Amino acid sequence: QVQLVESGGGLVQAGGSLRLSCAASGRTFSSLYMGWFRQAPGQEREFVAAISRGGANTYYAASVKGRFTIFRDNAKNTVYLQMNSLKPEDTAVYYCAVQNGLSFRATPVVAEYGSWGQGTQVTVSS
């Protein structure tokens, strides 16, 4: 069983940047495919980005591509989400999760992920 703890959220002005972290424990982190999702009030959870075990392969939602970067440090058991050029519509609770399965897939489907963290709030003011 893997445990995930997100951190790094906060309040930022539009155009600003934040870096989210997700620390993993309980399993060999380098064996895990990881993803970031977000959920705004009253909306469904939506995919943001995913990364393969070694970090060579990444996949982004169209809404964040070119602004957000997912990367990982397997020595620190941590996956990151660097968010630049933030917009008010990026406001949400951000979650990290483990992609299920034995091979990396460029999938945005929530049901393909599990072991969700508790989330970290990101608020972007206009």
Side-chain angles (χ1 to χ4, degrees):
Q1 190 77 3
V2 61
Q3 291 79 43
L4 303 174
V5 178
E6 301 93 337
S7 62
L11 174 63
V12 64
Q13 290 188 332
S17 298
L18 279 176
R19 178 177 292 182
L20 306 184
S21 300
C22 170
S25 62
R27 283 179 59 185
T28 303
F29 182 69
S30 59
S31 70
L32 303 176
Y33 306 113
M34 301 297 299
W36 282 97
F37 286 75
R38 65 188 181 186
Q39 188 166 18
Q43 298 187 21
E44 294 186 351
R45 192 166 297 189
E46 67 170 355
F47 171 78
V48 174
I51 189 167
S52 60
R53 291 173 177 172
N57 296 308
T58 56
Y59 172 58
Y60 295 92
S63 59
V64 306
K65 196 169 186 179
R67 299 188 298 121
F68 290 11
T69 301
I70 186 171
F71 62 101
R72 65 193 294 163
D73 186 338
N74 287 344
K76 295 183 177 180
N77 295 339
T78 302
V79 61
Y80 303 91
L81 185 68
Q82 177 67 42
M83 305 186 295
N84 299 329
S85 302
L86 282 161
K87 305 175 181 180
E89 52 264 43
D90 294 319
T91 295
V93 178
Y94 283 71
Y95 301 89
C96 63
V98 177
Q99 187 183 100
N100 300 324
L102 300 178
S103 60
F104 180 69
R105 286 155 290 120
T107 175
V109 178
V110 173
E112 298 286 351
Y113 296 81
S115 301
W116 299 90
Q118 85 291 345
T120 185
Q121 176 71 47
V122 171
T123 303
V124 184
S125 64
S126 58

